[in-house]
Amino acid sequence: MLEFKFDTQLLIEGHDLDEDVINDYFTTNFKGDCLLAVGDDELIKIHYHTNEPWKVLEYCASLGEIYDVVVENMERQEQGLHG
């Protein structure tokens, strides 16, 4: 059984994005692991394992336009089912 079952990935397109600020917000406000927040001031790639992907999406949408959103249930994948 996984502690955090949703693999959440997306891109944020915006202005004056700061991967360090985003990283700090995630670690302070969300429960999860395997955080990756990389990019530049106009495009950030997010990868995060959490049980509350809707909170991640809501926050990221507040920063800019989000797209290429993927939320996969890793427990289903582990069981050989479609995630």
Side-chain angles (χ1 to χ4, degrees):
M1 183 104 160
L2 299 170
E3 183 177 2
F4 302 107
K5 72 179 191 177
F6 292 106
D7 178 7
T8 308
Q9 302 175 52
L10 61 116
L11 295 172
I12 309 167
E13 187 173 8
H15 302 285
D16 300 320
L17 298 172
D18 186 326
E19 60 189 39
D20 294 327
V21 170
I22 293 169
N23 193 328
D24 291 345
Y25 188 91
F26 268 73
T27 57
T28 302
N29 294 284
F30 301 138
K31 293 180 182 177
D33 63 11
C34 296
L35 174 61
L36 177 65
V38 296
D40 57 31
D41 64 340
E42 294 181 354
L43 184 67
I44 300 284
K45 166 73 176 181
I46 299 292
H47 175 268
Y48 194 55
H49 296 170
T50 183
N51 291 328
E52 301 173 320
W54 54 90
K55 290 183 179 182
V56 170
L57 297 176
E58 183 177 49
Y59 168 67
C60 291
S62 76
L63 300 175
E65 182 178 353
I66 62 172
Y67 63 99
D68 286 349
V69 176
V70 176
V71 178
E72 296 181 320
N73 184 329
M74 295 184 296
E75 284 183 352
R76 287 183 54 86
Q77 290 176 334
E78 193 173 62
Q79 297 166 7
L81 303 171
H82 188 72

